[in-house]
Amino acid sequence: MILSPSLLSADFAHLADELAALEAAGITWLHLDIMDGAFAPNITFGPPLLQAMRPLSNLFFDVHLMVEDPARYIGDFRAAGADMLVIHAEADKHPQRTLTAIRSLGCKSGLALNPGTDVGAVRWLAADIDMLVLMSVNPGFSGQAFLPATYEKIRAARSMLDENGGANVLIQVDGGVSPENAPHLVDAGAEVLVSGSAFFTHKPYEQRIAAFMAASAGRERRPAEEAMQRRKTALDGGTLLC
Ligand code: DX5
Ligand code: ZN
């Protein structure tokens, strides 16, 4: 299981310290929530913040674009240091085109679904993505309550991906994730867990990571890092270069 802490719950007045503390504790991914005040009812930050953080950090920047018409911004976010760009199916009229463009920038591509969007929205895009993000809250804020329908949705998504050429696609769950629900999420097939408030409010981070990892130990269908590596190998020499 990969734990991707959501920067939205970090101490924005001391971001450099936060990045250093995460890496020292053993974190490898960082989830960055981009909201435009239109797709999501909140405004967060844009490429300049990533650009400022990039030289300070080796973390894998997992960038969650909760913006309308995300194709307008993928070049800027990639240039600023994004390693993975996730767009919302509900925000893009032509997601296949945008996902292909993301890969052509040498970046991993991801598609996110709101709680009410069926996994069928990804069926014909399974070959175009490295990760499927299932929102377990409505986009907008950290600290919202986890939606339990997500468990069943993860199982449906895993079957759908496996049957449609997406066996190597990672499943990420985002919203209301904690060490309490982590074991059930991993049981269902989640491989990347995003955590904002339930992570950053508990220090030291080493102990919090251990709590998430202990909760999911022995439940994984397959090692998530290895799945990502397989995906990289399969696409090297093609369009995916990072
Ligand atoms: C919600 C964001 C989430 C959020 C997670 O719109 O996409 O990534 O920051 O925060 P928690 O874990 O507190 O729900
Ligand atoms: Zn997010």
Side-chain angles (χ1 to χ4, degrees), residues 133-161:
V133 180
L134 301 178
M135 294 301 296
S136 38
V137 298
N138 290 290
F141 305 95
S142 295
Q144 301 181 84
F146 174 83
L147 297 168
T150 309
Y151 297 124
E152 188 59 32
K153 194 170 180 183
I154 297 167
R155 291 193 166 86
R158 187 71 270 160
S159 302
M160 184 279 300
L161 288 168

Side-chain angles (χ1 to χ4, degrees), residues 7-28:
L7 188 73
L8 203 51
S9 294
D11 179 354
F12 275 33
H14 301 96
L15 281 183
D17 296 339
E18 289 279 46
L19 292 175
L22 291 171
E23 277 191 78
I27 287 293
T28 54

